[in-house]
Amino acid sequence: AWAHPSGRFIETDDGTLILPVLAGLSAKDTSGRLDSVGIFRSTDGGVTWGDFTLIAHDAEHRQIAYNEIDIEPMPNGTWVAILRTEWRNHHGGEAASASACYSQDQGRNWTKPEFIFIGAVPDLALLPGGGLVCSTSFSKLRFSYDGGQSWSRELNAHSASHSHSYPGVERLDDDHLFVFGRWKGRSGCVYRRVTVAYTHLRAPETE
């Protein structure tokens, strides 16, 4: 068995650190690339890790792999996890999908994965008013205002709309998102929120 860190650390109110990981639970899973995702916990500032919780693993059908993951704790206490989802029995187009899981108890229990959109390698950021933005592969952004239950149509994170970059996203303040990656040698771009509606996000006119 093995595990690889994925996503960001989360620190709970009692000081527990949460580390999302993608993993292979057995030699059979590893040889078939039947990846799974979960979280480890540390109560000593990251010196030691344990208390593993499995979030998603296709143990029954052994057809779906879950790997890169990001988790965002919401203001209402729900944790939203977005996971890269690959169908191992459908070669060619399986590597660009995402599923969502939800937890109401700080990651102890999770809902079953539900397909949400096309796009992989998610990175989440919390928006003002409890919204979510998710960057994914192919330089796309999507927005949710219902705790990750539904998502907007995809928006290009950069004019290079067919880029295969895996971008990240961070909220700088209530009016700015920093979307970073690599597009033709550039290392990032700043998007300014010009209205309350997420569909009116645009890049600055000058760089």
Side-chain angles (χ1 to χ4, degrees):
W2 57 270
H4 186 282
S6 180
R8 299 158 296 140
F9 288 103
I10 298 169
E11 185 173 5
T12 62
D13 291 340
D14 66 359
T16 299
L17 294 177
I18 307 295
L19 175 63
V21 298
L22 60 95
L25 300 184
S26 66
K28 184 177 180 180
D29 284 358
T30 298
S31 64
R33 282 298 315 277
L34 194 72
D35 308 325
S36 57
V37 291
I39 54 176
F40 283 104
R41 297 173 176 84
S42 175
T43 57
D44 56 10
V47 176
T48 59
W49 294 88
D51 195 9
F52 178 74
T53 296
L54 183 65
I55 297 176
H57 178 224
D58 187 16
E60 181 179 359
H61 301 292
R62 303 191 62 79
Q63 296 178 352
I64 302 175
Y66 303 101
N67 31 60
E68 289 93 343
I69 178 176
D70 200 16
I71 299 173
E72 185 66 55
M74 300 300 292
N76 66 357
T78 301
W79 287 15
V80 179
I82 308 297
L83 354 160
R84 178 173 178 163
T85 305
E86 300 180 351
W87 281 262
R88 294 299 186 219
N89 62 340
H90 185 271
H91 300 289
E94 73 274 15
S97 300
S99 299
C101 298
Y102 310 92
S103 174
Q104 303 294 336
D105 55 7
Q106 296 192 331
R108 291 292 175 184
N109 296 280
W110 293 87
T111 61
K112 292 182 178 180
E114 300 176 10
F115 172 80
I116 50 173
F117 51 65
I118 300 297
V121 195
D123 191 41
L124 291 164
L126 190 64
L127 299 174
L132 276 175
V133 57
C134 183
S135 65
T136 64
S137 56
F138 304 105
S139 300
K140 303 300 184 182
L141 296 175
R142 292 172 177 82
F143 296 83
S144 174
Y145 283 89
D146 58 4
Q149 299 292 326
S150 62
W151 293 83
S152 73
R153 65 179 179 86
E154 63 185 29
L155 301 177
N156 292 330
H158 191 268
S159 58
S161 60
H162 298 292
S163 166
H164 286 240
S165 172
Y166 294 157
V169 62
E170 292 290 339
R171 172 183 162 189
L172 299 182
D173 54 41
D174 285 355
D175 294 305
H176 293 84
L177 293 176
F178 180 54
V179 184
F180 52 94
R182 293 194 65 83
W183 297 276
K184 296 181 179 179
R186 300 176 182 176
S187 58
C189 60
V190 175
Y191 276 66
R192 180 168 61 90
R193 182 167 65 93
V194 294
T195 70
V196 174
Y198 53 76
T199 53
H200 289 86
L201 283 167
R202 65 174 175 84
E205 296 179 357
T206 58
E207 299 184 15

